[in-house]
Amino acid sequence: MPPNNQSAQPSTGITTKQAAKVWAYIGLNSFGGPAGQIAVMHRELVERRRWLSERRFLHALNYCMVLPGPEAQQLATYIGWLMHGIRGGVIAGSLFVIPGFIAMMVLSAIYAVYESVGWIAGLLFGLQAAVVAIVVNAVVRIGSRTLRSWLLVAIAGASFVAIFFFNIPFPVIIIGAGLIGWLVGRRSHQLVPLGGEHEPDEANLASVWLPDDEPVSRAQTRQALRAAAICLVIWLVPVAALALVLGMDNVFTQEAVVFSKAAVLTFGGAYAVLGYVTQQAVDHYGWISTKDMVTGLGLAETTPGPLIMVVQFVGFLAAYNNPGSLPPLLAGVLGATITVWVTFVPCFLFIFLGAPWVEKLRDNQALRHALTAIGASVTGVILNLAVWFALNTAFGTVTQYNVGPLHLWVPELDTIIWASVAISVIAGVLVFRVKLGTLKVLAIAAGIGIILALLGLTP
């Protein structure tokens, strides 16, 4: 790697095979959520190898930020497409996901089969408690970026109240926020302020392999649209086939439908869509428990790839717990595979469909105002997750009381789990005061959980 004050010269004649090795390396080292994953890509593609300029990288990132889905995976797909067309985009986007897919499949099976083993139960207990601090950190981090006016703060607060107290579906919340942002933004830019954009150094434009001013040809546009059409077919045809062959009451069909909806509603990343997934997987279908959901998020934080891989864990357990005539492990593998398929195929669709017109989309002010308001609503939805996780990890029993449309979650105070509270507090100190990274915090929390389990101090 070149020194920090120097730039490497760009490679000449980069082949698809050479690029695939780099994408595989990035996929294996994509820990730390979107920020960490994007940082790895920036280091490898812009700073170290000089495949594209800072400006081109930010251009691609801005486009991916306005799309539903995991922005880091879509950024890899988009840059792969710029470099080597459709094949390059598929290779880059797939290699970003495959390492995490394999790791999560193994962890899901271990959890399903060996959850009751003492030390494994303790490890998971520690992860679950630490997740509370990590989600609270996400609320603070995302809120500091998105809540730039009193209206955006109000949208975030209203979103929290809507989902936590009235159980309003997540799609309704983000659609409502988007409409408010679009309407208000037309009249007052101050109420829906857009974030500033960094202007890269002009020197960064020189000596890169991918020219900044190279236009997208008509042939490239046609190929991208053809690829988008293929993605649409291979996404929706299996969903329709499952519905026709197995019926809408089958768990595989339900997973295909639920996670297809989630794929087009994941504005704001994995934390935001977890509100919708939780509503469906825990409350509506009863596939998994609250503890399972918290564990899945903790495992997704410790594996490479997009954080949205938590849905694979949900898909595995949903089918494992409802296998029908299949062996539970086989059902789990099939459920996880279906979930990942309908989650990520739309990501390729969005890139190939919109990439040729990225400039027009990026400069559309009305769209950006709508997405700014959606970003504010996402903060409220994630706050809902933080409160929900905190209640369900700190107390053994949390009862829901319904008063008309109002839903109240009330913990039984005598069921408080002091060990879980202690680990959450320790994790909070490590995150906010010590400033440790996510993986280190989770490792410490898991270690404490194992020790407490061996001492018989966990439930």
Side-chain angles (χ1 to χ4, degrees), residues 106-128 291 295 299 446 449-451 453-454 458:
V106 173
L107 291 173
S108 299
I110 291 173
Y111 176 81
V113 177
Y114 297 108
E115 179 194 1
S116 59
V117 175
W119 72 269
I120 292 181
L123 182 150
L124 296 173
F125 177 81
L127 288 179
Q128 292 160 8
K291 184 183 73 171
T295 299
L299 293 177
I450 291 174
I451 293 171
L454 294 177
T458 58

Side-chain angles (χ1 to χ4, degrees), residues 2-333:
N4 292 335
N5 61 345
Q6 298 180 4
S7 294
Q9 291 300 312
S11 305
T12 57
I14 302 167
T15 65
T16 305
K17 183 177 180 180
Q18 291 170 329
K21 293 180 181 179
V22 176
W23 291 119
Y25 172 83
I26 291 173
L28 287 168
N29 289 274
S30 57
F31 294 93
Q37 294 156 3
I38 291 169
V40 170
M41 269 189 280
H42 185 273
R43 184 190 70 214
E44 294 299 320
L45 306 182
V46 177
E47 296 176 3
R48 182 178 182 184
R49 291 179 171 82
R50 303 289 293 143
W51 285 0
L52 73 167
S53 69
E54 175 90 0
R55 176 175 293 173
R56 199 72 180 266
F57 185 88
L58 291 176
H59 189 158
L61 178 59
N62 286 339
Y63 172 56
C64 295
M65 291 293 287
V66 306
L67 295 174
E71 59 265 32
Q73 187 268 348
Q74 289 171 325
L75 178 61
T77 304
Y78 181 66
I79 295 175
W81 172 75
L82 281 178
M83 293 179 60
H84 295 110
I86 303 303
R87 178 182 296 179
V90 171
I91 289 173
S94 299
L95 289 176
F96 195 84
V97 173
I98 289 172
F101 172 78
I102 295 172
M104 186 58 80
M105 190 72 80
V106 173
L107 291 173
S108 299
I110 291 173
Y111 176 81
V113 177
Y114 297 108
E115 179 194 1
S116 59
V117 175
W119 72 269
I120 292 181
L123 182 150
L124 296 173
F125 177 81
L127 288 179
Q128 292 160 8
V131 162
V132 175
I134 290 168
V135 178
V136 171
N137 184 48
V139 174
V140 174
R141 188 177 66 249
I142 295 173
S144 65
R145 291 202 315 261
T146 59
L147 306 183
R148 298 185 299 272
S149 74
W150 70 263
L151 178 63
L152 296 178
V153 173
I155 290 173
S159 299
F160 169 75
V161 170
I163 195 168
F164 188 80
F165 290 105
F166 294 94
N167 205 29
I168 293 177
F170 177 65
V172 174
I173 293 172
I174 67 165
I175 290 171
L179 286 174
I180 293 172
W182 177 68
L183 292 171
V184 176
R186 295 173 62 187
R187 294 169 173 80
S188 173
H189 296 320
Q190 289 75 26
L191 290 177
V192 195
L194 301 176
E197 295 184 2
H198 172 64
E199 188 64 28
D201 191 336
E202 290 294 332
N204 188 262
L205 301 180
S207 301
V208 294
W209 183 76
L210 192 66
D212 273 42
D213 57 355
E214 183 178 5
V216 177
S217 67
R218 291 185 177 180
Q220 287 175 303
T221 300
R222 287 195 298 269
Q223 291 171 358
L225 293 178
R226 191 179 303 120
I230 292 172
C231 288
L232 184 66
V233 171
I234 64 176
W235 169 28
L236 295 181
V237 167
V239 177
L242 286 171
L244 289 173
V245 175
L246 302 178
M248 293 303 298
D249 293 331
N250 184 272
V251 67
F252 296 126
T253 305
Q254 293 169 344
E255 286 183 322
V257 172
V258 167
F259 293 109
S260 289
K261 291 180 181 178
V264 299
L265 294 169
T266 52
F267 294 99
Y271 284 118
V273 78
L274 281 177
Y276 172 71
V277 172
T278 299
Q279 283 182 329
Q280 298 298 309
V282 179
D283 300 331
H284 182 70
Y285 290 104
W287 290 331
I288 62 174
S289 68
T290 300
K291 184 183 73 171
D292 294 332
M293 194 73 202
V294 180
T295 299
L297 182 57
L299 293 177
E301 291 273 13
T302 64
T303 54
L307 190 58
I308 196 64
M309 296 304 288
V310 63
V311 301
Q312 179 186 345
F313 180 82
V314 175
F316 185 100
L317 287 187
Y320 182 89
N321 293 333
N322 302 275
S325 59
L326 296 175
L329 277 177
L330 176 59
V333 170

